Amino acid sequence: MELASDLVDRQGPIYREDTAVFVSQSGETADTLQALEYAKSHGALCVGITNTVGSAIARGTHCGVHINAGCEIGVASTKAYTSQIAVMTMLALALGDDSISSRIRREAIIDDFFDLPSKVREVLKLDIEMKELANLLMEEQSLLIFGRGYNYATALEGALKVKEVALMHSEGILAGEMKHGPLALVDETLPIIVVATCDATFSKQQSVIQQLKARKGRLIVMCTKGDAPSLCSSGACRFIEVPHVEDCLQPIINIVPLQLLAYHLTVLRGYNVDQPRNLAKSVTTQ
């Protein structure tokens, strides 16, 4: 995984045996286009994942996938983000199609793909709960979001949405790095969201929650339905309970409450949700 701008800055190694996948909502992102030209000049097979038919990345790559999320009006991406996760998961399933050892897991992921629409409808019912939470957080200056494994991306994306549209400082942090600095910020006033849904990292997230509680952290825990008592029995935490799907699809479910939280924070703080300050929908300059 590379950030396009950093790959070009470092002149990272790409060889003609490589496949490079370029992900962009607009298909016109300047630094991604520059990385595409860099990869093509080194003979790599270039694949595009974009939401815009006929865009520069769609035309410039050898092959690719249109995510078909529909036109996205707001500057801050929402449905394109979740669609990109779905497309990249399907790409991984296609690449592993001939692996007998992973057949059971593949079938479980495919089954959960079919259940995704109903699970997303279910999690959208948290809208009123997220508005109440936004009311509690609207005067705050900072928000930390801890994630791990697949949900490190959820922490980063949730924090990005809050800073983009609510203009509130927020930071997505890899939970395993908590003791390497971020723990110093924890007190009873700083709101902290911990993403601790049921996956291979669940027990480690339980430990993170206990350590934050011991330092009187102001905790908001996102967990799988039914797991709240095992995470915080003292009533010191606020919970966001979401339905369970396979771990690689869980970020699609988990990001929705954070997107709703960012939306309500923005409205309550009096900012424009669709046109954040200083930002453009497509980054066409470096």
Side-chain angles (χ1 to χ4, degrees):
M1 194 280 290
E2 297 274 5
L3 295 173
S5 58
D6 185 54
L7 174 72
V8 175
D9 289 345
R10 288 187 295 104
Q11 296 289 290
I14 291 183
Y15 305 103
R16 65 175 180 267
E17 298 88 358
D18 293 339
T19 299
V21 181
F22 298 88
V23 184
S24 169
Q25 191 283 140
S26 67
E28 303 288 346
T29 314
D31 48 11
T32 311
L33 282 169
Q34 193 176 8
L36 170 59
E37 293 307 316
Y38 176 74
K40 284 172 73 176
S41 70
H42 285 71
L45 172 65
C46 296
V47 180
I49 296 177
T50 170
N51 193 34
T52 311
V53 176
S55 62
I57 287 177
R59 297 193 312 271
T61 46
H62 298 108
C63 57
V65 183
H66 290 119
I67 65 173
N68 295 322
C71 183
E72 202 168 47
I73 306 302
V75 168
S77 182
T78 50
K79 62 182 180 180
Y81 172 77
T82 48
S83 297
Q84 285 165 355
I85 295 173
V87 164
M88 286 189 278
T89 305
M90 287 191 282
L91 180 62
L93 289 172
L95 290 171
D97 191 32
D98 60 348
S99 173
I100 295 175
S101 61
S102 61
R103 181 175 58 85
I104 294 173
R105 174 159 164 77
R106 287 183 66 258
E107 289 174 353
I109 293 168
I110 291 167
D111 288 343
D112 275 357
F113 258 120
F114 284 104
D115 288 339
L116 269 181
S118 62
K119 295 290 177 69
V120 171
R121 274 193 291 271
E122 186 180 339
V123 84
L124 281 168
K125 294 175 183 176
L126 294 171
D127 184 54
I128 295 172
E129 193 177 322
M130 291 303 101
K131 187 173 183 179
E132 291 171 356
L133 181 57
N135 266 300
L136 296 175
L137 299 179
M138 65 177 290
E139 300 295 338
E140 300 297 333
Q141 298 300 310
S142 289
L143 173 69
L144 300 185
I145 306 178
F146 286 97
R148 204 181 205 118
Y150 285 109
N151 284 299
Y152 177 41
T154 304
L156 292 175
E157 179 66 11
L160 178 63
K161 284 293 156 286
V162 171
K163 72 178 73 163
E164 274 183 320
V165 294
L167 309 187
M168 172 181 171
H169 172 258
S170 55
E171 196 172 343
I173 298 172
L174 185 64
E177 297 298 301
M178 180 185 70
K179 288 189 173 181
H180 297 283
L183 195 60
L185 296 171
V186 177
D187 61 21
E188 62 273 11
T189 62
L190 177 67
I192 301 170
I193 297 175
V194 180
V195 184
T197 43
C198 188
D199 59 20
T201 67
F202 179 68
S203 61
K204 292 181 178 180
Q205 289 300 76
Q206 283 180 302
S207 175
V208 166
I209 290 165
Q210 295 307 314
Q211 291 176 59
L212 292 171
K213 274 176 58 186
R215 290 158 180 85
K216 297 181 170 59
R218 185 179 166 191
L219 289 181
I220 303 151
V221 178
M222 182 182 292
C223 66
T224 305
K225 280 187 175 180
D227 282 347
S230 66
L231 287 166
C232 186
S233 56
S234 64
C237 306
R238 186 184 180 102
F239 288 99
I240 303 168
E241 294 193 74
V242 298
H244 175 69
V245 291
E246 282 291 314
D247 53 4
C248 58
L249 297 177
Q250 193 70 53
I252 295 176
I253 302 297
N254 291 356
I255 195 58
V256 175
L258 299 181
Q259 291 172 341
L260 291 171
L261 175 63
Y263 168 78
H264 289 301
L265 276 171
T266 306
V267 173
L268 290 168
R269 288 162 69 96
Y271 298 118
N272 188 320
V273 176
D274 292 327
Q275 294 182 307
R277 187 173 67 196
N278 304 331
L279 298 179
K281 183 64 182 169
S282 181
V283 181
T284 55
T285 57
Q286 291 181 50

